[in-house]
Amino acid sequence: MGTEKLLSVDPLELKFPFELRKQISSSFQLLNKTDNHVAFKVKTTNPKKYSVRPNNGIVLPRSTCSVIVTMQAQKEPPADMQCKDRFLVQSVVTRPGVSSKDVSPEMFNKEAGNHVEECKLRVVYVSPPKPPSPVPEESEEGSPPRTSESENGNFNTSEVAAISRENFEVQGKSAEAKNLFVKLTEEKNHTAQQNEKLRRELEMLRHGSTKSNGVPFLYVVLIGLLGILLGYFVTNS
């Protein structure tokens, strides 16, 4: 930090993260450590290239003022990232009650006998900050992160094998379930046919055994019940 009798300027270097075709801003602080009202004015060797806000003003006793310097968008990169532009901060004691509108070039005229202090600032170009790289999520605590794709955007061999194995297992289970469903359907249809056949035979025996002692009829009823139970267990298996 450069310490002057009237104003301290911090920093003494204006650092611009240079990017083509983009306005870039930098700032510095003016600190008045005295009990005087101090007027200031900011000049540059390249006024068409920079915009200074404020470029003049009043710093009250024991207070600070922030100055923002904006560099216009540049179409060409500087040679070796070097810049010869300079800024000059002039300061002079003024009477209380003077506002920024009252600051004039005559106040900084040394030939008129005014005590003017000066501080020079240099311009430095720096590389723009790089965007943070995304952090891959870990699949499990303490295990390395898994990636779904390789660096060139394609799946690697192990991932292809795992996907193929999973697809094969799913297809195998689907085929097994389908075969089981077909088998149960066939058994159900077969049982239904047997039940229908037994029912018809039961009707025939019921009508044809009116002179019997009832034993053939009971036998047929037991056979029918057995067929129904068999169909129930096959259907729900």
Side-chain angles (χ1 to χ4, degrees), residues 102-132:
D102 300 324
V103 177
S104 62
E106 290 76 13
M107 299 173 63
F108 304 93
N109 188 357
K110 295 180 181 180
E111 297 179 355
N114 297 324
H115 175 70
V116 181
E117 293 185 355
E118 296 180 340
C119 180
K120 295 181 181 180
L121 288 77
R122 60 190 297 261
V123 176
V124 178
Y125 292 149
V126 295
S127 300
K130 296 181 179 180

Side-chain angles (χ1 to χ4, degrees), residues 213-224:
N213 56 4
V215 174
F217 178 75
L218 179 61
Y219 175 74
V220 172
V221 171
L222 292 176
I223 293 177

Side-chain angles (χ1 to χ4, degrees), residues 51-75:
S51 171
V52 182
R53 294 291 182 273
N55 62 350
N56 60 57
I58 302 294
V59 184
L60 300 178
R62 308 295 175 179
S63 61
T64 61
C65 177
S66 179
V67 179
I68 299 176
V69 180
T70 301
M71 182 177 65
Q72 304 302 319
Q74 301 297 301
K75 298 181 180 180

Side-chain angles (χ1 to χ4, degrees), residues 16-17 20 63 93 117 151 155 176 213 216:
F16 291 90
L20 288 176
S63 61
V93 176
E117 293 185 355
E151 294 180 355
F155 290 99
E176 182 180 355
N213 56 4

Side-chain angles (χ1 to χ4, degrees), residues 146-167:
R146 293 182 57 188
T147 55
S148 60
E149 296 184 4
S150 60
E151 294 180 355
N152 59 1
N154 298 321
F155 290 99
N156 56 42
T157 305
S158 61
E159 292 168 339
V160 172
I163 294 174
S164 300
R165 182 171 61 254
E166 292 175 358
N167 291 337

